[in-house]
Structures are given as structure tokens and as C-alpha cells.
Amino acid sequence: HIAIAGNIGIGKIDATRLLARHYGWKPHYEQVAHNPYLEDYYRDIKRWSFPLEVFYLKERFKDLLQLQKQQEDIVQDRSIYERYVFTANNHDLGNLDDRDFETYMELFEDMTDVVRYPDLMVYLRCSVGHLASNIEKRGRSYEEQMPLRYLESLNRRYEDFITKQYQGRVLIIDRELDFLANPSDLGFITDKIDRELFGLFPDK
């Protein structure tokens, strides 16, 4: 069970699809478009943060319960643990009050207590400028109103979570990648995954 983590626009869907094809594993995608609160959220983040985050949390929990019953090797586009990053970020920005955040965290902790960590979380890290460029290219109308400071604060939250709080096994890819245009970028990741999981290559 490999989970692909990273900020909005980092390329998690492409990475999940290409890694699943490379290894012959089953891809499992986050169902972004199916969240009924998403468009409302980008129009009024403060009003819709709590229902949006609770919806994502219960969907990721259902995903993990299902995945843990399967015997297949899986590449997952974003795990339940990243929901903490987004919710804590909204709390930091004043989009969630303390009461809603505490309620959410109780749910989050109860759910994550009964599931297992992925065997490896691959964290894709890059600059906000690269994220903004990718978001512009994919042209999702509901993302066009996203403030740049929101991406910046998410990047900071991800760094804090991955390096200081997450207790599972992590591989950090610190590089701006284009999986579709440059096959060598995918090879860069698979070499590191092979070394991390299978010990096939010496450290460089």
C-alpha cells in the first residue's frame, strides 16, 4: 500500500496512474469531483470548511476500510492522514473555529486509531509557483478562485506534518516533476521507491 501525498496541483493523480502502471499495482483515486460541498467551498471557504472536511474524512475512512480488506498491491491518491493537513490549515487561517476543529480532530483520531499506516507514503514537494502553474493548466473552474496564500499555508502545513508529526514510513521527493512530458521524472521516483521498499539500489 503506497500513498501519494502532496499539495493541490502537485500531480498526485498522474503519479498514481503512472506508478500503478509501472508496478502492475491497482490505482485508487481520491474522488474530488464527487464532494457536494467543493464548489461552495471555493466560493466561501469559511462557511463551508467544516462540512467539506467532514465529508472528505468519512470518504477516506471508508476507502481505507475497503483497501485493508483487499489482497492487492495498491497505489493511493492521497490518504486519510492528509485530511488533517487541510483541516488544520483552515483552522490556522480562521476558516474553522475552535469548536468545529476540536470536533473534527476527535473524529480524525478515532478513525485513524483503527486503520493501518500505508507501507510507504511518497510525499511530493515543490514550490507554490509550480503548483499554481499546474492548477492553471488543468483549468478546473472551482479552483480559479483559490487564494495564493491558501496554497502557501498548505505547503507550510504539509512540511510540518510530514517532517514532525506523521509516524509512518515516508519518502520525500524534493523536486519539481513533469511525469507526462519527462519519463525520466517517473524513473527518478521509481528508483527511490525501489530502494526504499526493496533495497535494490545503494544510497547515492
Side-chain angles (χ1 to χ4, degrees):
H1 180 189
I2 305 297
I4 309 300
N7 205 342
I8 300 167
I10 197 73
K12 293 182 298 299
I13 293 175
D14 288 337
T16 299
R17 176 172 54 84
L18 293 171
L19 287 171
R21 181 190 300 169
H22 174 83
Y23 288 107
W25 297 342
K26 182 178 179 180
H28 187 89
Y29 300 102
E30 182 180 41
Q31 299 300 316
V32 174
H34 294 167
N35 190 323
Y37 301 100
L38 194 59
E39 291 195 21
D40 290 328
Y41 173 78
Y42 282 118
R43 282 195 294 265
D44 188 347
I45 291 177
K46 190 169 185 176
R47 164 65 181 83
W48 296 102
S49 285
F50 185 68
L52 175 124
E53 294 298 354
V54 169
F55 182 90
Y56 272 137
L57 182 65
K58 65 99 174 174
E59 288 296 302
R60 296 294 75 76
F61 184 62
K62 285 165 56 179
D63 286 346
L64 267 185
L65 293 179
Q66 177 187 354
L67 293 179
Q68 291 185 356
K69 294 177 182 178
Q70 299 178 13
Q71 300 301 315
E72 299 170 286
D73 295 321
I74 294 163
V75 185
Q76 184 183 14
D77 163 28
R78 184 170 282 150
S79 73
I80 192 172
Y81 301 97
E82 290 172 81
R83 296 322 314 170
Y84 165 77
V85 173
F86 283 83
T87 307
N89 184 60
N90 271 325
H91 180 245
D92 290 345
L93 293 173
N95 297 323
L96 273 176
D97 62 26
D98 291 343
R99 180 181 58 180
D100 284 347
F101 183 63
E102 288 170 7
T103 299
Y104 180 92
M105 287 307 300
E106 287 184 18
L107 284 172
F108 177 84
E109 289 165 4
D110 287 344
M111 289 178 179
T112 53
D113 278 347
V114 300
V115 294
R116 299 188 304 270
Y117 286 116
D119 297 297
L120 181 67
M121 181 178 285
V122 180
Y123 170 50
L124 305 178
R125 171 199 277 162
C126 77
S127 69
V128 170
H130 186 73
L131 296 173
S133 176
N134 286 351
I135 290 169
E136 184 178 7
K137 287 177 185 175
R138 67 190 187 188
R140 294 175 182 169
S141 59
Y142 56 80
E143 291 180 342
E144 293 176 359
Q145 303 173 60
M146 188 190 308
L148 195 60
R149 72 183 186 96
Y150 182 67
L151 286 178
E152 292 169 344
S153 59
L154 271 177
N155 250 10
R156 290 192 296 270
R157 261 291 169 187
Y158 260 107
E159 287 298 306
D160 182 72
F161 175 69
I162 292 293
T163 61
K164 298 178 182 177
Q165 299 182 53
Y166 183 67
Q167 299 298 309
R169 192 174 184 184
V170 177
L171 171 62
I172 297 176
I173 305 294
D174 190 6
R175 180 171 169 179
E176 295 183 352
L177 303 169
D178 188 338
F179 312 108
L180 300 179
N182 301 310
S184 62
D185 284 347
L186 181 66
F188 177 79
I189 293 180
T190 57
D191 283 352
K192 288 186 173 293
I193 291 174
D194 289 344
R195 185 164 62 244
E196 187 73 26
L197 288 182
F198 313 119
L200 297 182
F201 301 100
D203 290 334
K204 299 178 180 179

